[in-house]
Amino acid sequence: MRLRFMLGEVGGGLRRNMSMIISVVLVTMVSMFFLGLGLLAQKQVTMAKGYWYDKVEVSIFMCTKDSSAAASCVDGAVTPAQRDQVKRDLESMKPLVEEIHYESAAQAYERFKQQFKNSPYLSDVGPDSMPASFRVKLSDPSRYAEVVAAIDGSPGVEAITDQRKVLDTFFKLLGVLSVAAVGLAALMVLCSILLISTTVRQVAFSRRREVEIMRLVGASATTIYLPFIIEVVLAALVGAVLAGVALWLLVVKGVADLFSAEGRGGDVIALIGADEVWQVLPWLVGGAVVLSILVSWLSLRRVVRV
């Protein structure tokens, strides 16, 4: 009997306050969506770092005939003896140096022609302008400085670049975007707290006569509060589930298709997928439920005196 009464109260409350319930659903959906987006963005940064840092290489560019500005290139283009010495120095740094790939000036020029075949400036670049280079893969990319200390300034070496430095700037940008998403989510959560609190107070005020009757017949605080709390929890639960569906569509049907092998990305970057969305979804649903219970209970205690 008590359960039937409780369910009847909840059903009647949902019908009478449908507009307020819909507003709670929408604000919860938006806030949980941005929170999930921030969490997924942080996961993407972590996955991308692991993916790219395993692939980054240190590039050692050799002197060309036009590299007289560098102190190690005063004698002009790199000689075979200088090139072989650099290779021996790199091989002596194993196991830090995992792989060594040499690209001659002619190979570099062929690759350049393929990459910029439609450029009007291609005719201005000749084979002698392209530097030969060593591309070195390290077992620990964070120890890049050791390679620089050993090779930089060697005869025939014009410059050393680390792809990780370029990626760090990119990852910092992604990190800022993910923090901004979480900050926006926190703002939306605050808005949802205020809206839930206001909704609960208005609903309790509109049903003050029923509450007063329940108090007179000796109903406990839990019996009085529970219908209000269930209504808000159901609305928050629906909003959190809708946020999860929106995230799933964004990741699986949006980002994944955009960067799929048939599309434009191929295996250029490791992307989050449906598994990561399912990992985040319980946090969104659980957070929405716990938040709605706490806010509803505290709001009712201030409005309904039992």
Side-chain angles (χ1 to χ4, degrees):
M1 185 67 182
R2 180 175 295 182
L3 178 60
R4 184 183 300 175
F5 170 78
M6 193 72 64
L7 293 177
E9 285 292 306
V10 171
L14 291 174
R15 288 191 300 271
R16 289 192 298 267
N17 304 286
M18 185 57 65
S19 60
M20 294 183 183
I21 295 301
I22 291 176
S23 64
V24 173
V25 170
L26 292 177
V27 76
T28 303
M29 181 185 70
V30 174
S31 60
M32 292 298 107
F33 175 80
F34 279 106
L35 180 59
L37 197 62
L39 295 175
L40 290 177
Q42 291 178 340
K43 282 181 174 288
Q44 178 62 74
V45 172
T46 301
M47 290 178 61
K49 282 183 178 180
Y51 180 85
W52 279 108
Y53 282 168
D54 287 342
K55 299 179 180 295
V56 296
E57 298 175 333
V58 175
S59 297
I60 302 173
F61 295 99
M62 313 308 291
C63 299
T64 66
K65 64 178 184 178
D66 301 321
S67 303
S68 57
S72 55
C73 298
V74 292
D75 296 329
V78 61
T79 64
Q82 292 172 338
R83 179 195 62 202
D84 293 341
Q85 182 59 50
V86 171
K87 185 175 182 180
R88 285 193 294 269
D89 292 340
L90 290 172
E91 290 176 341
S92 68
M93 300 183 69
K94 294 182 177 179
L96 173 60
V97 173
E98 278 190 347
E99 298 177 10
I100 303 172
H101 173 70
Y102 177 73
E103 183 180 64
S104 66
Q107 292 171 329
Y109 181 66
E110 289 300 319
R111 181 166 58 86
F112 179 83
K113 287 196 300 182
Q114 289 294 325
Q115 291 178 338
F116 300 96
K117 57 184 178 181
N118 297 322
S119 173
Y121 303 104
L122 180 61
S123 59
D124 298 333
V125 179
D128 294 339
S129 303
M130 303 300 298
S133 64
F134 286 98
R135 288 183 172 81
V136 183
K137 183 178 180 181
L138 304 182
S139 58
D140 183 1
S142 64
R143 296 171 62 185
Y144 157 76
E146 296 180 27
V147 177
V148 175
I151 305 299
D152 193 28
S154 299
V157 175
E158 180 180 7
I160 303 178
T161 61
D162 179 20
Q163 295 174 352
R164 180 170 173 165
K165 289 186 175 181
V166 178
L167 292 174
D168 280 341
T169 302
F170 174 66
F171 289 139
K172 285 179 181 178
L173 175 60
L174 289 181
V176 170
L177 293 177
S178 65
V179 170
V182 173
L184 182 58
L187 181 62
M188 294 304 301
V189 168
L190 178 61
C191 292
S192 66
I193 291 174
L194 296 176
L195 180 59
I196 291 173
S197 178
T198 303
T199 300
V200 169
R201 293 183 183 186
Q202 289 181 347
V203 171
F205 181 78
S206 66
R207 292 157 62 180
R208 62 189 181 281
R209 193 167 192 173
E210 300 172 25
V211 172
E212 186 64 27
I213 293 174
M214 294 175 68
R215 289 176 57 190
L216 292 175
V217 299
S220 65
T222 301
T223 303
I224 295 175
Y225 292 167
L226 202 54
F228 298 99
I229 294 175
I230 292 176
E231 292 172 23
V232 175
V233 168
L234 288 176
L237 186 60
V238 171
V241 172
L242 290 177
V245 172
L247 286 172
W248 187 86
L249 291 174
L250 176 66
V251 170
V252 177
K253 297 299 182 182
V255 177
D257 285 354
L258 180 63
F259 290 96
S260 64
E262 294 80 7
R264 305 179 184 180
D267 59 352
V268 174
I269 188 170
L271 292 170
I272 55 175
D275 290 341
E276 285 71 30
V277 177
W278 293 124
Q279 293 172 10
V280 168
L281 185 58
W283 291 96
L284 301 183
V285 174
V289 170
V290 171
L291 182 66
S292 60
I293 291 175
L294 289 176
V295 175
S296 300
W297 184 270
L298 294 175
S299 300
L300 286 169
R301 290 192 61 182
R302 296 183 60 183
V303 176
V304 181
R305 302 294 182 180
V306 180

